[in-house]
Amino acid sequence: MPWQSPISPGYSWYEANAPERPEYPALPGSVETDVAIVGGGFTGLQAAYNLASKGVRVTLIDACRFGDGASGRNGGQLGTGQRWSPEELEGSLGFERSKALFDLAEDAKKYLLDFSESHGIDIEFVPGQLNVCHKKSHEKDYRKSVEIAASRYGYTHQSFMDRDETVSRLGSMRYLFGIRDIGTGHIQPMKLLVGLARQAALAGAALHEQTKALKITQAGGKVSIETDKGTIRADRALIACNGYIGNLEPVTARHVMPIRSFIGATRVLTNFPDVLPGGEAVADSRFVVRYFRKSQDGRLLFGGREAYTADNPREITAHIRRQISEIYPSLADIEMTHAWGGSVGITLPRQPFVREVMPGVTSIGGYSGHGVMLSNYCGKLYADLVTGNRSDLDLFKELDIPAFPGGTRFRSVLLFLALSWYALRDKF
């Protein structure tokens, strides 16, 4: 019987299409370790793998099963750079820091692809991404972005698409122009997650599912993590929960907001050869981004709904099908075989939150929808930091990530109002 996540609604096509998902035992009781990790997604598992590979004792726990959070259920698109464009970051941080963050993201992309290839993990990588726009007023900015990426950042894999090329590559009349990026692509995230967990276990990390962290304290140079199965005592700890931090760590909870995101999968598009004929992934210019791509077997995977509370919609497919029909009217009645959702973590400036929240305890999350490659790389960078190697994690630590206004009580309401305003602007 398919596993139904207790924290994320729906049964995903990723899970249906992934190899058998191994189960890892719950924490057997209280333990001592060098590094404790809370969260079995990309960040936590990459940290566990890289630490264990260097002989560090690692104990990782997850409240549910690995892949129940965003790492196993996301849109699968890698993207390029950070959530902000290089020119936006440059205007805020200056060229030197913007370039360093751009280069870090390129290193993250390379690391993910190299890691998968070297460990024989079939992540179904398909190259190509189309960033498309529905507003004529943005054309100058899109053209300029391609030029800046090439001339100032040395990234020559992008090209501007006019209306005709955009229509041809999408098989849709909905968008006016866009940017084609052949230096990135998309993956099957659950396959990466399953393979990564297997490699972490083989490296010697102690991995435990169905073990909920209840409280984290620090005293006498040791970190204690109280769980529902026992207590973990460690020299240091990593909190890698992204959108599922809950009340575990107050500082992180004030800076990282969980939002719900939903995806649907259609039946195989055997009779629609014009839909994404090149197999690229697509992300559009709306503030609440619509993102879609084809699976390896020819389904359309479409994400375009966000919700700013922990509630789950009673019916996911109807909303997603409506959005599909706006872009592809011929698919208005297409059968939806899977629909699922989950939480991702966002920050107010849509940049990652990396901070030592108490002595010996680092929290990493808030990837803001740009986390497939960054989350993997941040786990690796954390391990580098712990083992005394050079680490670029400080580039994220130095970012100014303010807390959401309104505290934990009113922040959801204020965020809902703000994002509803931006969603309204998308229509005009």
Side-chain angles (χ1 to χ4, degrees), residues 40 317 332 343 354:
T317 59
S343 290
V354 179

Side-chain angles (χ1 to χ4, degrees), residues 29-153:
S30 296
V31 299
E32 298 264 349
T33 191
D34 296 328
V35 179
I37 300 174
V38 181
F42 289 147
T43 302
L45 287 169
Q46 280 287 357
Y49 164 78
N50 281 278
L51 287 167
S53 296
K54 295 177 175 64
V56 178
R57 292 183 305 161
V58 183
T59 300
L60 181 150
I61 60 171
D62 193 282
C64 299
R65 292 187 65 192
F66 305 150
D68 278 5
S71 294
R73 303 170 72 87
N74 61 76
Q77 299 192 26
L78 301 188
T80 290
Q82 304 291 331
R83 182 64 171 78
W84 289 21
S85 68
E87 56 270 31
E88 288 175 314
L89 275 179
E90 187 173 330
S92 176
L93 303 176
F95 174 73
E96 185 176 344
R97 291 181 67 192
S98 176
K99 180 67 161 61
L101 286 165
F102 186 89
D103 291 345
L104 182 151
E106 284 301 288
D107 290 342
K109 189 189 300 181
K110 184 177 186 303
Y111 173 79
L112 186 155
L113 297 176
D114 288 350
F115 176 87
S116 302
E117 182 178 1
S118 63
H119 292 94
I121 304 172
D122 177 18
I123 60 173
E124 299 183 8
F125 175 70
V126 177
Q129 183 174 24
L130 311 176
N131 296 296
V132 296
C133 189
H134 67 299
K135 287 189 175 182
K136 180 65 177 176
S137 60
H138 292 172
E139 181 175 348
K140 182 178 179 180
D141 290 337
Y142 270 56
R143 289 183 180 275
K144 185 178 179 181
S145 184
V146 172
E147 295 172 2
I148 290 174
S151 63
R152 293 182 62 76
Y153 292 82

Side-chain angles (χ1 to χ4, degrees), residues 274-318:
D274 293 336
V275 175
L276 299 176
E280 298 100 336
V282 182
D284 76 6
S285 54
R286 295 168 58 91
F287 188 84
V288 179
V289 178
R290 295 178 180 179
Y291 52 96
F292 46 99
R293 62 188 181 89
K294 275 185 178 178
S295 65
Q296 196 172 62
D297 68 347
R299 301 170 187 270
L300 181 66
L301 306 181
F302 190 99
R305 176 190 169 101
E306 291 182 358
Y308 307 107
T309 71
D311 299 332
N312 297 318
R314 293 180 180 178
E315 169 48 48
I316 299 174
T317 59

Side-chain angles (χ1 to χ4, degrees), residues 1 94 115 136 226 381 408 411:
M1 184 175 180
F115 176 87
K136 180 65 177 176
E226 180 184 337
L381 293 178
T408 55
R411 64 178 189 168

Side-chain angles (χ1 to χ4, degrees), residues 197-216:
R198 183 176 291 111
Q199 292 303 316
L202 289 172
L207 306 181
H208 302 288
E209 297 178 319
Q210 309 285 11
T211 303
K212 184 177 178 60
L214 304 173
K215 185 178 181 181
I216 300 180

